[in-house]
Coordinates of all heavy atoms in Angstrom, one line a residue:
M1343 N 41.7 86.6 -36.7 CA 40.9 87.7 -37.0 C 41.3 89.0 -36.9 O 41.1 89.9 -37.8 CB 39.6 87.6 -36.1 CG 38.5 88.6 -36.4 SD 37.0 88.3 -35.5 CE 36.3 89.9 -35.6
I1344 N 42.1 89.3 -36.0 CA 42.8 90.6 -35.8 C 43.7 90.9 -37.0 O 43.8 92.0 -37.5 CB 43.4 90.7 -34.4 CG1 42.6 90.7 -33.2 CG2 44.4 92.0 -34.3 CD1 41.6 91.8 -33.2
A1345 N 44.5 89.8 -37.3 CA 45.5 90.0 -38.5 C 44.7 90.3 -39.7 O 45.1 91.1 -40.5 CB 46.3 88.7 -38.7
D1346 N 43.6 89.7 -40.0 CA 42.7 90.0 -41.1 C 42.2 91.4 -41.0 O 42.2 92.1 -42.1 CB 41.5 89.0 -41.2 CG 41.9 87.7 -41.4 OD1 43.0 87.4 -41.8 OD2 41.0 86.7 -41.3
L1347 N 41.8 91.8 -39.9 CA 41.3 93.2 -39.8 C 42.4 94.2 -40.0 O 42.1 95.2 -40.8 CB 40.8 93.4 -38.3 CG 40.2 94.8 -38.1 CD1 38.9 94.6 -37.5 CD2 41.1 95.5 -37.0
L1348 N 43.6 93.9 -39.5 CA 44.7 94.9 -39.7 C 45.1 94.9 -41.1 O 45.5 96.0 -41.6 CB 45.9 94.6 -38.7 CG 45.5 94.7 -37.3 CD1 46.6 94.4 -36.4 CD2 45.2 96.3 -36.9
T1349 N 45.1 93.7 -41.8 CA 45.5 93.7 -43.1 C 44.6 94.6 -44.0 O 45.0 95.3 -44.9 CB 45.6 92.3 -43.7 OG1 46.6 91.6 -42.9 CG2 46.0 92.2 -45.0
A1350 N 43.2 94.3 -43.8 CA 42.2 95.0 -44.6 C 42.3 96.5 -44.2 O 42.2 97.2 -45.3 CB 40.9 94.5 -44.2
F1351 N 42.5 96.9 -43.0 CA 42.6 98.3 -42.7 C 43.9 98.9 -43.4 O 43.7 99.9 -44.2 CB 42.8 98.6 -41.2 CG 43.0 99.9 -40.9 CD1 42.0 100.8 -40.7 CD2 44.3 100.5 -40.7 CE1 42.1 102.2 -40.5 CE2 44.5 101.8 -40.4 CZ 43.4 102.7 -40.3
G1352 N 44.9 98.2 -43.3 CA 46.1 98.8 -44.0 C 46.1 99.0 -45.6 O 46.4 100.0 -46.1
V1353 N 45.5 97.9 -46.1 CA 45.5 97.9 -47.6 C 44.4 99.0 -48.0 O 44.8 99.8 -48.9 CB 44.9 96.6 -48.1 CG1 44.6 96.6 -49.6 CG2 46.0 95.5 -48.0
V1354 N 43.3 99.1 -47.4 CA 42.2 100.1 -47.9 C 42.7 101.5 -47.5 O 42.7 102.4 -48.3 CB 41.0 99.8 -47.2 CG1 39.9 100.8 -47.3 CG2 40.3 98.4 -47.7
F1355 N 43.3 101.7 -46.3 CA 43.8 103.0 -45.9 C 44.8 103.5 -46.9 O 44.7 104.6 -47.4 CB 44.5 102.9 -44.4 CG 44.9 104.3 -44.0 CD1 44.0 105.1 -43.5 CD2 46.2 104.6 -44.1 CE1 44.4 106.3 -43.1 CE2 46.6 105.9 -43.7 CZ 45.7 106.7 -43.1
L1356 N 45.7 102.6 -47.3 CA 46.8 103.2 -48.3 C 46.2 103.4 -49.6 O 46.6 104.3 -50.4 CB 48.0 102.2 -48.3 CG 48.9 102.1 -47.1 CD1 49.8 100.9 -47.1 CD2 49.4 103.4 -46.7
A1357 N 45.3 102.5 -50.0 CA 44.7 102.7 -51.5 C 43.9 103.9 -51.3 O 43.7 104.4 -52.5 CB 43.9 101.4 -51.7
E1358 N 43.2 104.3 -50.4 CA 42.1 105.3 -50.4 C 42.8 106.7 -50.1 O 42.1 107.7 -50.4 CB 41.1 105.1 -49.4 CG 40.1 103.9 -49.7 CD 39.4 104.0 -50.9 OE1 39.0 105.1 -51.3 OE2 39.1 103.0 -51.6
L1359 N 44.1 106.7 -49.8 CA 44.6 108.0 -49.5 C 44.4 109.1 -50.7 O 43.9 110.1 -50.5 CB 46.1 107.9 -49.1 CG 46.3 107.6 -47.6 CD1 47.8 107.4 -47.4 CD2 45.7 108.6 -46.7
P1360 N 44.9 108.7 -51.9 CA 44.9 109.6 -53.0 C 43.6 109.5 -53.7 O 43.5 109.8 -55.0 CB 46.0 109.3 -53.9 CG 46.2 107.8 -53.8 CD 45.8 107.4 -52.3
D1361 N 42.5 108.9 -53.2 CA 41.4 108.6 -53.9 C 40.4 109.9 -54.1 O 40.5 110.7 -53.4 CB 40.6 107.6 -53.0 CG 39.4 106.9 -53.9 OD1 39.3 107.1 -55.0 OD2 38.5 106.2 -53.3
K1362 N 39.4 109.7 -55.1 CA 38.6 110.8 -55.4 C 37.5 111.1 -54.1 O 37.2 112.3 -53.9 CB 37.5 110.4 -56.5 CG 38.3 110.2 -57.8 CD 37.3 109.7 -58.9 CE 36.9 108.4 -58.5 NZ 36.2 107.6 -59.6
T1363 N 37.3 110.1 -53.4 CA 36.5 110.2 -52.1 C 37.2 111.2 -51.2 O 36.5 112.1 -50.7 CB 36.3 108.9 -51.4 OG1 35.8 108.0 -52.4 CG2 35.3 109.1 -50.3
M1364 N 38.5 111.1 -51.1 CA 39.2 112.0 -50.1 C 39.0 113.5 -50.7 O 38.7 114.4 -49.9 CB 40.6 111.7 -50.0 CG 41.4 112.6 -49.1 SD 43.2 112.3 -49.0 CE 43.7 113.1 -50.4
F1365 N 39.3 113.7 -52.0 CA 39.1 115.1 -52.5 C 37.8 115.5 -52.5 O 37.6 116.8 -52.2 CB 39.8 115.0 -53.9 CG 41.2 114.8 -54.0 CD1 41.6 113.6 -54.5 CD2 42.1 115.6 -53.4 CE1 43.0 113.4 -54.6 CE2 43.4 115.4 -53.4 CZ 43.9 114.3 -54.1
A1366 N 36.8 114.7 -52.7 CA 35.4 115.2 -52.7 C 35.1 115.6 -51.4 O 34.4 116.5 -51.1 CB 34.5 114.0 -53.1
T1367 N 35.4 114.8 -50.2 CA 35.3 115.2 -48.8 C 35.9 116.5 -48.5 O 35.3 117.4 -47.8 CB 35.8 114.0 -47.9 OG1 35.2 112.8 -48.4 CG2 35.4 114.4 -46.5
L1368 N 37.2 116.7 -49.0 CA 37.9 117.9 -48.8 C 37.1 119.0 -49.3 O 36.9 120.2 -48.6 CB 39.3 117.7 -49.4 CG 40.1 119.1 -49.3 CD1 40.6 119.1 -47.8 CD2 41.2 118.9 -50.2
L1369 N 36.6 119.0 -50.4 CA 35.8 120.0 -51.1 C 34.5 120.3 -50.4 O 34.2 121.5 -50.2 CB 35.6 119.7 -52.6 CG 36.8 119.8 -53.5 CD1 36.6 119.2 -54.8 CD2 37.4 121.1 -53.6
L1370 N 33.9 119.3 -50.0 CA 32.6 119.4 -49.3 C 32.8 120.2 -48.0 O 32.0 121.0 -47.6 CB 31.8 118.1 -49.1 CG 31.3 117.4 -50.4 CD1 30.9 116.0 -50.1 CD2 30.0 118.3 -50.8
A1371 N 33.9 119.7 -47.3 CA 34.2 120.3 -46.0 C 34.5 121.8 -46.1 O 34.2 122.6 -45.1 CB 35.4 119.5 -45.3
T1372 N 35.2 122.2 -47.2 CA 35.5 123.7 -47.4 C 34.2 124.4 -47.8 O 34.1 125.7 -47.5 CB 36.6 123.8 -48.5 OG1 36.1 123.3 -49.8 CG2 37.9 123.3 -48.1
R1373 N 33.3 123.8 -48.4 CA 32.0 124.5 -48.9 C 31.0 124.7 -47.8 O 30.4 125.7 -47.8 CB 31.5 123.7 -50.1 CG 30.4 124.5 -50.6 CD 30.2 124.1 -52.1 NE 29.1 125.0 -52.6 CZ 28.4 124.8 -53.7 NH1 28.6 123.8 -54.4 NH2 27.6 125.6 -54.1
Y1374 N 30.8 123.6 -47.0 CA 29.7 123.6 -46.1 C 30.3 123.9 -44.7 O 31.2 123.2 -44.3 CB 28.9 122.3 -46.2 CG 28.3 122.1 -47.4 CD1 28.8 121.3 -48.4 CD2 27.1 122.9 -47.9 CE1 28.1 121.0 -49.7 CE2 26.6 122.7 -49.1 CZ 27.1 121.9 -50.0 OH 26.6 121.6 -51.3
P1375 N 29.5 124.7 -43.9 CA 30.0 125.0 -42.5 C 29.8 123.9 -41.6 O 30.5 123.9 -40.5 CB 29.2 126.3 -42.2 CG 28.0 126.2 -42.9 CD 28.3 125.5 -44.3
R1376 N 28.8 123.1 -41.7 CA 28.6 122.0 -40.8 C 29.3 120.7 -41.1 O 28.9 119.9 -41.8 CB 26.9 121.7 -40.8 CG 26.2 122.9 -40.3 CD 24.7 122.8 -40.5 NE 24.3 121.7 -39.8 CZ 23.0 121.3 -39.7 NH1 22.1 121.9 -40.5 NH2 22.6 120.3 -38.9
K1377 N 30.5 120.7 -40.6 CA 31.4 119.6 -40.9 C 30.9 118.3 -40.4 O 31.2 117.2 -41.0 CB 32.8 119.8 -40.1 CG 33.4 121.2 -40.5 CD 33.6 121.5 -41.9 CE 34.2 123.0 -42.1 NZ 33.7 123.6 -43.2
T1378 N 30.0 118.2 -39.4 CA 29.5 116.9 -38.9 C 28.7 116.3 -39.9 O 28.6 115.1 -40.2 CB 28.7 117.3 -37.5 OG1 29.6 117.7 -36.6 CG2 28.3 115.8 -37.0
A1379 N 27.8 117.2 -40.5 CA 26.9 116.7 -41.6 C 27.6 116.2 -42.7 O 27.3 115.2 -43.2 CB 25.9 117.9 -42.1
V1380 N 28.8 116.9 -43.1 CA 29.6 116.4 -44.2 C 30.3 115.0 -43.9 O 30.0 114.1 -44.6 CB 30.8 117.4 -44.6 CG1 31.7 116.8 -45.7 CG2 30.1 118.7 -45.1
W1381 N 30.6 115.0 -42.7 CA 31.2 113.7 -42.2 C 30.2 112.5 -42.2 O 30.6 111.5 -42.7 CB 32.0 113.9 -40.9 CG 32.6 112.5 -40.5 CD1 33.9 112.2 -40.9 CD2 32.1 111.6 -39.7 NE1 34.1 111.0 -40.3 CE2 33.0 110.5 -39.5 CE3 30.8 111.3 -39.0 CZ2 32.8 109.4 -38.7 CZ3 30.6 110.2 -38.3 CH2 31.7 109.3 -38.2
L1382 N 29.0 112.8 -41.7 CA 28.1 111.9 -41.6 C 27.6 111.3 -43.0 O 27.4 110.1 -43.4 CB 26.9 112.3 -40.9 CG 27.1 112.3 -39.4 CD1 25.8 113.0 -38.7 CD2 27.3 110.9 -38.7
G1383 N 27.5 112.3 -43.9 CA 27.1 111.9 -45.3 C 28.2 111.2 -45.9 O 27.8 110.1 -46.6
V1384 N 29.5 111.5 -45.8 CA 30.5 110.8 -46.6 C 30.6 109.4 -45.9 O 30.8 108.4 -46.5 CB 31.8 111.6 -46.4 CG1 33.0 110.7 -46.8 CG2 31.7 112.8 -47.3
A1385 N 30.6 109.3 -44.5 CA 30.8 108.1 -43.8 C 29.7 107.2 -44.1 O 29.8 105.9 -44.4 CB 30.9 108.3 -42.4
S1386 N 28.5 107.5 -44.2 CA 27.4 106.7 -44.6 C 27.4 106.3 -46.0 O 27.1 105.0 -46.2 CB 26.0 107.4 -44.2 OG 25.8 108.5 -45.0
A1387 N 27.7 107.0 -46.9 CA 27.9 106.6 -48.4 C 28.9 105.6 -48.5 O 28.8 104.5 -49.1 CB 28.2 107.9 -49.1
Y1388 N 30.1 105.8 -47.8 CA 31.2 104.9 -47.9 C 30.9 103.5 -47.2 O 31.3 102.4 -47.6 CB 32.5 105.4 -47.3 CG 33.8 104.7 -47.7 CD1 34.2 104.7 -48.9 CD2 34.3 103.8 -46.7 CE1 35.3 103.9 -49.2 CE2 35.5 103.1 -47.1 CZ 35.9 103.2 -48.4 OH 37.0 102.5 -48.7
T1389 N 30.1 103.6 -46.1 CA 29.7 102.3 -45.4 C 28.7 101.6 -46.4 O 29.0 100.3 -46.5 CB 29.0 102.8 -44.1 OG1 29.7 103.4 -43.3 CG2 28.5 101.5 -43.4
M1390 N 27.9 102.3 -47.0 CA 27.0 101.5 -48.0 C 27.9 100.9 -49.1 O 27.6 99.7 -49.5 CB 26.0 102.4 -48.6 CG 25.1 101.8 -49.5 SD 24.0 100.7 -48.7 CE 22.8 101.8 -48.2
H1391 N 28.8 101.5 -49.5 CA 29.8 101.0 -50.5 C 30.4 99.8 -50.0 O 30.6 98.7 -50.7 CB 30.8 102.2 -51.0 CG 31.9 101.6 -51.8 ND1 31.9 101.4 -53.1 CD2 33.2 101.3 -51.4 CE1 33.0 100.8 -53.5 NE2 33.9 100.8 -52.6
V1392 N 31.0 99.8 -48.8 CA 31.6 98.6 -48.2 C 30.7 97.5 -48.0 O 31.1 96.3 -48.3 CB 32.4 99.1 -47.0 CG1 33.0 97.9 -46.3 CG2 33.5 100.1 -47.3
V1393 N 29.5 97.8 -47.5 CA 28.6 96.7 -47.4 C 28.2 96.0 -48.6 O 28.3 94.7 -48.9 CB 27.2 97.2 -46.7 CG1 26.2 96.1 -46.8 CG2 27.5 97.7 -45.3
I1394 N 28.0 96.7 -49.8 CA 27.8 96.1 -51.1 C 29.0 95.3 -51.6 O 28.8 94.2 -52.0 CB 27.3 97.3 -52.1 CG1 26.0 97.8 -51.7 CG2 27.3 96.6 -53.6 CD1 25.6 99.1 -52.6
A1395 N 30.2 95.9 -51.4 CA 31.3 95.2 -52.0 C 31.6 93.9 -51.0 O 32.0 92.9 -51.6 CB 32.6 96.1 -51.7
S1396 N 31.3 94.0 -49.8 CA 31.4 92.7 -48.9 C 30.4 91.8 -49.3 O 30.8 90.5 -49.3 CB 31.3 93.1 -47.4 OG 32.3 94.0 -47.0
L1397 N 29.2 92.0 -49.6 CA 28.2 91.0 -50.0 C 28.6 90.5 -51.3 O 28.5 89.2 -51.6 CB 26.9 91.8 -50.1 CG 26.2 92.1 -48.8 CD1 24.9 93.0 -48.9 CD2 26.0 91.0 -47.9
L1398 N 29.0 91.2 -52.4 CA 29.5 90.7 -53.5 C 30.7 89.8 -53.4 O 30.8 88.8 -54.1 CB 29.7 91.9 -54.6 CG 28.6 92.6 -55.1 CD1 29.0 93.8 -56.0 CD2 27.8 91.7 -55.9
G1399 N 31.6 90.3 -52.6 CA 32.7 89.5 -52.3 C 32.3 88.0 -51.6 O 33.0 87.0 -52.1
T1400 N 31.3 88.0 -50.8 CA 30.9 86.8 -50.3 C 30.3 86.0 -51.3 O 30.6 84.7 -51.5 CB 29.9 87.1 -49.1 OG1 30.4 87.9 -48.2 CG2 29.3 85.8 -48.6
V1401 N 29.5 86.5 -52.2 CA 28.8 85.8 -53.4 C 30.0 85.2 -54.3 O 30.0 84.0 -54.8 CB 27.9 86.6 -54.2 CG1 27.4 86.0 -55.4 CG2 26.7 87.0 -53.2
I1402 N 30.9 86.1 -54.7 CA 31.9 85.6 -55.6 C 32.8 84.5 -55.0 O 33.2 83.6 -55.8 CB 32.9 86.9 -56.1 CG1 32.0 87.7 -56.9 CG2 34.1 86.4 -56.7 CD1 32.7 89.1 -57.2
S1403 N 33.1 84.6 -53.7 CA 33.9 83.5 -53.1 C 33.3 82.2 -53.1 O 33.9 81.2 -53.0 CB 34.3 84.0 -51.6 OG 33.1 83.8 -50.8
R1404 N 31.9 82.2 -53.3 CA 31.3 80.9 -53.3 C 31.2 80.3 -54.8 O 30.6 79.3 -54.9 CB 29.9 81.1 -52.7 CG 30.0 81.3 -51.3 CD 28.6 81.5 -50.7 NE 28.7 81.8 -49.3 CZ 27.8 82.2 -48.4 NH1 26.6 82.5 -49.0 NH2 28.0 82.4 -47.2
L1405 N 31.6 81.0 -55.8 CA 31.6 80.5 -57.2 C 32.5 79.3 -57.3 O 33.6 79.2 -56.6 CB 32.1 81.6 -58.1 CG 31.2 82.8 -58.5 CD1 31.7 83.7 -59.3 CD2 29.8 82.3 -58.9
P1406 N 32.2 78.3 -58.2 CA 33.2 77.3 -58.5 C 34.5 77.8 -58.9 O 34.6 78.9 -59.6 CB 32.5 76.5 -59.5 CG 31.1 77.0 -59.6 CD 31.0 78.4 -58.9
T1407 N 35.6 77.1 -58.8 CA 36.8 77.5 -59.1 C 37.0 77.7 -60.6 O 37.7 78.6 -61.2 CB 37.9 76.4 -58.6 OG1 37.7 76.4 -57.1 CG2 39.4 77.0 -58.8
E1408 N 36.5 76.8 -61.4 CA 36.7 76.8 -63.0 C 36.4 78.1 -63.6 O 37.1 78.6 -64.4 CB 36.0 75.5 -63.6 CG 36.5 75.4 -64.9 CD 38.1 75.2 -65.0 OE1 38.7 74.6 -64.2 OE2 38.6 75.7 -65.9
P1409 N 35.2 78.7 -63.3 CA 34.9 80.1 -63.9 C 35.8 81.1 -63.6 O 36.2 82.0 -64.3 CB 33.4 80.3 -63.4 CG 32.9 79.1 -63.0 CD 34.0 78.3 -62.6
L1410 N 36.3 81.0 -62.3 CA 37.4 82.0 -61.9 C 38.6 81.9 -62.7 O 39.3 82.8 -63.2 CB 37.7 81.8 -60.4 CG 36.5 82.2 -59.4 CD1 36.9 81.9 -58.0 CD2 36.1 83.5 -59.7
R1411 N 39.0 80.6 -63.0 CA 40.2 80.4 -63.7 C 40.0 80.8 -65.1 O 41.0 81.3 -65.8 CB 40.5 78.9 -63.8 CG 41.0 78.2 -62.3 CD 41.5 76.8 -62.6 NE 41.6 76.1 -61.4 CZ 42.5 76.3 -60.5 NH1 43.6 77.1 -60.7 NH2 42.4 75.6 -59.3
Y1412 N 38.9 80.7 -65.7 CA 38.5 81.2 -67.1 C 38.7 82.6 -67.1 O 39.3 83.2 -68.1 CB 37.2 80.7 -67.5 CG 36.8 81.3 -68.8 CD1 37.3 80.8 -69.9 CD2 35.9 82.4 -68.8 CE1 36.9 81.2 -71.2 CE2 35.6 82.9 -70.1 CZ 36.0 82.3 -71.2 OH 35.7 82.8 -72.5
V1413 N 38.2 83.3 -66.2 CA 38.3 84.9 -66.2 C 39.7 85.3 -66.1 O 40.2 86.2 -66.7 CB 37.5 85.5 -65.0 CG1 37.9 86.9 -64.7 CG2 36.0 85.3 -65.2
V1414 N 40.6 84.7 -65.2 CA 42.0 84.9 -65.1 C 42.7 84.7 -66.4 O 43.4 85.5 -66.8 CB 42.6 84.2 -63.9 CG1 44.2 84.3 -63.9 CG2 42.0 84.7 -62.6
R1415 N 42.4 83.6 -67.0 CA 43.1 83.4 -68.1 C 42.7 84.3 -69.3 O 43.6 84.7 -70.1 CB 42.8 81.8 -68.6 CG 43.6 80.8 -68.0 CD 43.5 79.5 -68.7 NE 42.2 78.9 -68.8 CZ 41.5 78.1 -68.0 NH1 42.2 77.5 -67.0 NH2 40.4 77.7 -68.2
S1416 N 41.5 84.6 -69.4 CA 41.0 85.4 -70.5 C 41.6 86.8 -70.3 O 41.9 87.5 -71.4 CB 39.4 85.5 -70.7 OG 38.9 86.2 -69.5
E1417 N 41.7 87.3 -69.1 CA 42.2 88.7 -68.9 C 43.7 88.8 -69.1 O 44.2 89.8 -69.3 CB 41.7 89.2 -67.5 CG 40.2 89.3 -67.4 CD 39.7 90.5 -66.7 OE1 40.7 91.3 -66.3 OE2 38.5 91.0 -66.7
E1418 N 44.4 87.6 -68.9 CA 45.9 87.7 -68.9 C 46.3 88.2 -70.4 O 47.2 88.7 -70.6 CB 46.5 86.4 -68.7 CG 46.5 86.1 -67.2 CD 47.1 84.7 -66.8 OE1 47.2 83.9 -67.7 OE2 47.4 84.5 -65.7
H1419 N 45.4 87.8 -71.4 CA 45.9 88.0 -72.8 C 45.3 89.3 -73.3 O 45.6 89.8 -74.4 CB 45.2 86.9 -73.6 CG 45.7 85.5 -73.3 ND1 47.0 85.2 -73.4 CD2 45.1 84.4 -72.7 CE1 47.1 83.9 -72.8 NE2 45.9 83.5 -72.5
T1420 N 44.4 90.0 -72.5 CA 43.8 91.2 -73.0 C 44.6 92.5 -72.6 O 44.6 93.5 -73.3 CB 42.4 91.4 -72.6 OG1 42.3 91.4 -71.2 CG2 41.5 90.4 -73.1
S1421 N 45.3 92.5 -71.5 CA 45.9 93.7 -71.0 C 47.2 93.2 -70.1 O 47.2 92.2 -69.4 CB 45.0 94.5 -70.2 OG 45.7 95.4 -69.4
E1422 N 48.1 94.0 -70.2 CA 49.4 93.7 -69.3 C 49.0 94.3 -67.8 O 49.7 93.8 -66.9 CB 50.6 94.5 -69.8 CG 51.0 93.9 -71.1 CD 52.3 94.2 -71.5 OE1 53.2 94.7 -70.6 OE2 52.7 94.2 -72.6
L1423 N 48.1 95.1 -67.8 CA 47.8 95.8 -66.4 C 46.6 94.8 -65.9 O 45.7 94.4 -66.6 CB 47.3 97.1 -66.5 CG 48.2 98.2 -66.9 CD1 47.4 99.5 -67.1 CD2 49.4 98.4 -65.9
Q1424 N 46.8 94.4 -64.6 CA 45.7 93.5 -64.0 C 44.4 94.5 -63.6 O 44.5 95.5 -63.1 CB 46.3 93.0 -62.7 CG 47.3 91.8 -63.0 CD 47.5 91.0 -61.6 OE1 46.9 91.3 -60.6 NE2 48.2 89.9 -62.0
S1425 N 43.3 93.9 -64.2 CA 42.1 94.6 -63.8 C 41.7 94.2 -62.4 O 42.1 93.1 -61.9 CB 41.0 94.1 -64.8 OG 40.6 92.9 -64.7
P1426 N 40.7 94.9 -61.8 CA 40.3 94.6 -60.4 C 39.7 93.1 -60.5 O 39.9 92.3 -59.5 CB 39.3 95.5 -60.1 CG 39.7 96.8 -61.0 CD 40.3 96.2 -62.1
C1427 N 39.0 92.8 -61.7 CA 38.4 91.5 -61.7 C 39.3 90.3 -61.6 O 39.2 89.4 -60.9 CB 37.4 91.5 -62.9 SG 36.6 90.0 -63.1
N1428 N 40.4 90.7 -62.4 CA 41.5 89.7 -62.5 C 42.1 89.5 -61.1 O 42.4 88.4 -60.7 CB 42.5 90.0 -63.5 CG 43.4 89.0 -64.0 OD1 44.0 88.2 -63.0 ND2 43.8 88.6 -65.1
L1429 N 42.4 90.5 -60.5 CA 43.0 90.5 -59.1 C 42.3 89.8 -58.1 O 42.7 88.9 -57.4 CB 43.3 91.9 -58.7 CG 44.0 92.1 -57.5 CD1 45.5 91.5 -57.4 CD2 44.2 93.6 -57.0
V1430 N 41.0 90.1 -58.1 CA 40.1 89.4 -57.2 C 40.0 87.9 -57.4 O 40.1 87.1 -56.5 CB 38.5 90.0 -57.3 CG1 37.6 89.1 -56.5 CG2 38.7 91.4 -56.6
C1431 N 39.9 87.6 -58.7 CA 39.8 86.1 -59.0 C 41.1 85.4 -58.7 O 41.2 84.2 -58.2 CB 39.6 86.0 -60.5 SG 37.9 86.3 -61.0
R1432 N 42.3 86.1 -58.9 CA 43.5 85.5 -58.5 C 43.6 85.2 -56.8 O 44.1 84.3 -56.5 CB 44.7 86.3 -58.9 CG 45.0 86.2 -60.4 CD 46.2 87.2 -60.7 NE 46.5 87.2 -62.1 CZ 47.3 86.1 -62.6 NH1 47.8 85.3 -61.9 NH2 47.5 86.2 -64.0
L1433 N 43.1 86.2 -56.3 CA 43.2 86.1 -54.7 C 42.3 85.0 -54.3 O 42.6 84.2 -53.4 CB 42.8 87.4 -54.1 CG 43.7 88.6 -54.2 CD1 43.2 89.9 -53.7 CD2 45.1 88.3 -53.5
L1434 N 41.1 84.9 -54.9 CA 40.2 83.8 -54.5 C 40.8 82.4 -54.9 O 40.6 81.4 -54.1 CB 38.8 83.9 -55.2 CG 38.0 85.2 -54.7 CD1 36.8 85.3 -55.6 CD2 37.6 84.9 -53.3
L1435 N 41.5 82.3 -56.1 CA 42.0 81.0 -56.4 C 43.2 80.7 -55.5 O 43.3 79.5 -55.2 CB 42.5 81.1 -57.9 CG 41.3 81.0 -58.8 CD1 42.0 81.3 -60.4 CD2 40.6 79.8 -58.9
E1436 N 44.0 81.6 -55.0 CA 45.1 81.2 -54.0 C 44.5 80.9 -52.8 O 45.1 80.0 -52.1 CB 45.8 82.5 -53.8 CG 46.8 83.0 -55.0 CD 47.5 84.3 -54.8 OE1 47.4 84.7 -53.6 OE2 48.2 84.7 -55.8
K1437 N 43.4 81.4 -52.4 CA 42.7 81.0 -51.1 C 42.3 79.5 -51.1 O 42.2 78.8 -50.2 CB 41.7 81.9 -50.6 CG 41.1 81.8 -49.3 CD 40.2 82.9 -49.0 CE 39.7 82.7 -47.5 NZ 38.6 83.7 -47.2
K1438 N 41.6 79.1 -52.3 CA 41.1 77.8 -52.5 C 42.1 76.8 -52.5 O 42.8 76.2 -52.5 CB 40.1 77.8 -53.6 CG 38.8 78.6 -53.3 CD 37.9 78.5 -54.4 CE 36.6 79.3 -54.1 NZ 35.5 79.1 -55.0

């Protein structure tokens, strides 16, 4: 469990560094004098985002394997860049 937690933290921390959320928070903090209110607003919005993503991830992980394989195959031919959907499906298929 600790390894999963540290992996999730590391991946999300590195992915979110140059993210729009960081820049929006930076701008809000420069504009509004009550930094605690800015922090609470940003933290609660991000928490809601993570809860929704976790719930969707739970639902997707319970899908049968064959539809996931179909999504991965269909997206391999449409773009050389991996879409988030393709990446999630690949990770789920590796786990099963």
Side-chain angles (χ1 to χ4, degrees):
M1343 180 170 164
I1344 295 295
D1346 295 343
L1347 180 126
L1348 292 175
T1349 300
F1351 176 83
V1353 168
V1354 171
F1355 183 78
L1356 291 175
E1358 293 296 327
L1359 277 176
D1361 191 12
K1362 297 178 289 191
T1363 307
M1364 183 187 81
F1365 293 113
T1367 305
L1368 179 74
L1369 290 173
L1370 289 169
T1372 60
R1373 182 156 190 202
Y1374 296 104
R1376 297 173 60 188
K1377 308 307 183 219
T1378 305
V1380 171
W1381 183 84
L1382 285 171
V1384 170
S1386 61
Y1388 194 72
T1389 300
M1390 182 65 83
H1391 167 79
V1392 170
V1393 167
I1394 292 169
S1396 297
L1397 291 173
L1398 285 174
T1400 300
V1401 169
I1402 291 171
S1403 70
R1404 293 181 180 164
L1405 288 175
T1407 304
E1408 196 52 40
L1410 296 177
R1411 288 187 201 284
Y1412 176 77
V1413 170
V1414 170
R1415 278 195 304 261
S1416 67
E1417 294 226 358
E1418 283 177 345
H1419 302 295
T1420 58
S1421 168
E1422 292 193 19
L1423 297 174
Q1424 285 197 354
S1425 71
C1427 180
N1428 189 317
L1429 182 60
V1430 167
C1431 290
R1432 284 181 180 275
L1433 290 171
L1434 288 170
L1435 285 171
E1436 287 176 9
K1437 190 173 180 182
K1438 291 183 177 186

